[in-house]
Amino acid sequence: MKKYIFILMTCALSQIACNDFLDLDESEYQTTYYQFSDFERVKLVATGVYGFVQDGFSDVEGTMIDAATDDAVYAWNTNNIKKFYDGSWSSINLIDERWNHLYSAIRASNYFLENCPADFPASIYLETYKERMDQLRNFPLEIRALRAYFHFDLLKRYNNIVIADRTYSIKEVNNLTPSSYDETVEWIVKECDEIIPGLPVSYKNTPNAEMGRVTKGMVMALKSRVLLYAASPLNNPANDRNKWLRAAKAAKEVIDLNVYKIVDEDITNNENAQGLIFGKRNGSDNSFERANFPIGFEREQGNSGICPSQNLVEAFDMKNGDPFDWENEEHRKRIMQEIHRDPRFAKTVFYNGSQLKGQTIESFVTGKNGLPKEGASPTSYYLRKHLRAETSLVAGSETSFAHVFPLFRYAEIWLNYAEALAEAMQDGDYKGSEQGIDYTISPAEAVNVIRARSGMPPLPAMDYRNFIQRLRNERRVELAFEGHRFWDIRRWKIGNQTNKVYGLRILLKPDGTFENGKILVQDRVWNDKMYFYPINAHELFKNENLNQNTGW
């Protein structure tokens, strides 16, 4: 059975990772000496660092961050996810507050890196000695990669952050000076460049075949994402072409690694997916299904949760490749006909007439899963992606399954490449050599690789501006509900274009057909200060060197 280095977390492991290592309990089991005294204990501490990696199933207020984008709404208006867009968000009324969590993760990383031994000579005669030493040499590279990942999670939220490349005393912590966005990017990229050569591309051929561990591809993918964000309008107001070229090169290097594949496969909850670069695997559980099965399913155990928007539904092209147009009568008639839509639509969204567990979803008004039923989807759509449909929530026959959330996958890399090269060249069809790098795949060809995998025709020839819009749309549908849209809205600086969220009002007519009407579900508050998070006022009080982000 494949083992996952970070899934069997216990409270004890979390305590090891989060402990204040400046003031350790000097009992035998809490001393640094004890924790790093043999291989298994070292691995336990490393596993504790992995425990800080969060998936996207319920990472903000018990739900997905996508509910704070124009891709979805949350079925219940009591959920605090609304802080993102109801005008109440502030430095003293926080949401998705990760400052302490991520710096605790970084501190646990530094603690490991500063104490991990290079060898255990006393175990040289063990049969597993060589295998253990191979892992031991790899652990510091893995933990450095996670430390870089945690820094990026801070950076994309808080803009100017403190680079914590070692442990600090309490006195030092409260006097540290933050680095600029660009300085932090360069530090992360340098870390990635130093780590990449020493990591394996896979652990499949190792004795324990451990999955879910940091690989060469994961670090290269992190570098690709970091440089893409750094080149984007939010962080590159001068539109420095070289930043886009660096991002294109980083993505091309992952493609040239020739390890991953774009094939027709399930992309989530699939630990063997050929396009999965790095993911978080959770143990068997049915909480995600309980939170997101449509209301009225599983003897009323479904809670609706994430409800995809009409905005997202319209982002899926017609099957012939034409963009969906609400004003086109034929498109409106076929909006929920799978045969006429991008195949990814039906894999992402449950709609009125969809089948789930042998039952037909009735999201029309007065339907068994529709309004005015309390908790019914305000948009008439329900989430399909990530759900394990075979899950049973019925008391006495409950079933649970493992879930794998993709944190980095190959499709993102191709889209990163297409965007970065197109923005650098202002040309979606560009192929050529720049700064010694051969770009043998054009941006349009890169996007079409993704479309072909899903059975969609290639994009037609078009000018740069239209290509960028189609590329952004492709990214939206391909990576839906994988945590990207929230950050893409910010790095592209399109927040004021995303505050109106629509749904459908579906009426059952006497002849058994349906009448669909587009409705405004939410008109959200948007302010440009929301491109970055506010830094907790308490942190500003503790360290006067920190800078609050503009507008907060």
Side-chain angles (χ1 to χ4, degrees), residues 288-326:
F288 186 71
E289 285 70 30
R290 190 176 298 278
N292 293 288
F293 269 170
I295 213 79
F297 267 82
E298 296 292 90
R299 299 182 186 175
E300 303 297 329
Q301 294 301 306
N303 199 48
S304 296
I306 293 290
C307 300
S309 66
Q310 180 68 16
N311 311 51
L312 175 61
V313 168
E314 292 186 16
F316 290 92
D317 288 347
M318 303 304 291
K319 179 65 174 175
N320 66 2
D322 290 343
F324 180 89
D325 180 3
W326 179 260

Side-chain angles (χ1 to χ4, degrees), residues 171-184:
K171 183 177 180 180
E172 286 179 303
V173 164
N174 292 332
N175 290 284
L176 294 173
T177 301
S179 299
S180 69
Y181 189 99
D182 285 344
E183 287 170 339
T184 306

Side-chain angles (χ1 to χ4, degrees), residues 384-402:
R384 184 169 193 164
K385 194 169 184 177
H386 302 301
L387 290 171
R388 300 292 297 261
E390 64 271 39
T391 300
S392 173
L393 304 177
V394 177
S397 60
E398 287 190 29
T399 57
S400 298
F401 298 92

Side-chain angles (χ1 to χ4, degrees), residues 33-97:
Y33 173 80
Y34 179 82
Q35 290 173 359
F36 292 92
S37 59
D38 71 18
F39 173 80
E40 293 300 335
R41 293 179 190 131
V42 169
K43 187 170 184 176
L44 193 67
V45 180
T47 302
V49 178
Y50 271 97
F52 283 99
V53 176
Q54 294 183 283
D55 62 53
F57 291 124
S58 57
D59 56 337
V60 182
E61 299 297 333
T63 189
M64 306 178 83
I65 200 169
D66 305 83
T69 76
D70 55 347
D71 277 358
V73 300
Y74 195 72
W76 304 86
N77 63 14
T78 53
N79 190 282
N80 277 334
I81 195 79
K82 65 184 179 180
K83 283 184 185 179
F84 273 126
Y85 54 78
D86 69 359
S88 65
W89 193 14
S90 73
S91 62
I92 58 173
N93 190 22
L94 301 161
I95 184 169
D96 191 32
E97 172 56 5

Side-chain angles (χ1 to χ4, degrees), residues 220 304 319 323 366 402 423 476 478:
M220 294 172 72
S304 296
K319 179 65 174 175
T366 73
E423 292 285 11
R476 183 178 190 178
E478 174 67 25

